[in-house]
Amino acid sequence: MNRRISGFIALAVTIVAVSLPTSDACAPAPPRNVIVEIASESAIIVWDSQNKMQHFIRRAAFNAKGTGEEPVKDFGFIVPTPTQPTLEEADDKAFSELATITAPKTETKPRPSGGGCGIGCAG
């Protein structure tokens, strides 16, 4: 399959996935009478082909409030996985390194000499 068709299929799948209604399969699981909102979320997914293991690194911020508007710190989060995951705390450094690696390249070029007028303005 050529790259153009592959790219089109990937784009179509992305559009369908984004347009689907949200699901509760991956969602906060708060105690009764607590509302949890996801304020921000980023994820890095890495496939280790040698060990056939997927690493899912997630950074998220939540706003959680009880019915009396008091802040809540304890709640769960449901994430479906095919097998029992191994959970570990990850350093936030992975996200700053990824931002550095994927940052747009900045180029500095000198201005053209001669004022930029060109041949036609000498009068």
Side-chain angles (χ1 to χ4, degrees), residues 58-79:
R58 181 175 187 225
R59 176 174 62 178
F62 302 94
N63 295 324
K65 296 180 180 170
T67 53
E69 296 298 313
E70 67 279 358
V72 175
K73 294 185 180 187
D74 294 329
F75 60 90
F77 203 87
I78 299 170
V79 179

Side-chain angles (χ1 to χ4, degrees), residues 44 57 59 91-104:
I44 300 172
I57 306 166
R59 176 174 62 178
D91 190 338
D92 201 43
K93 189 174 29 169
F95 290 95
S96 57
E97 287 185 26
L98 182 63
T100 301
I101 293 168
T102 60

Side-chain angles (χ1 to χ4, degrees), residues 1-45:
M1 187 180 311
N2 70 33
R3 287 184 180 177
R4 185 171 283 186
I5 293 173
S6 308
F8 177 75
I9 292 171
L11 178 62
V13 169
T14 302
I15 291 169
V16 169
V18 169
S19 65
L20 290 173
T22 58
S23 167
D24 290 339
C26 184
R32 190 172 295 206
N33 299 322
V34 172
I35 297 172
V36 176
E37 298 171 333
I38 302 171
S40 66
E41 182 175 12
S42 302
I44 300 172
I45 301 172

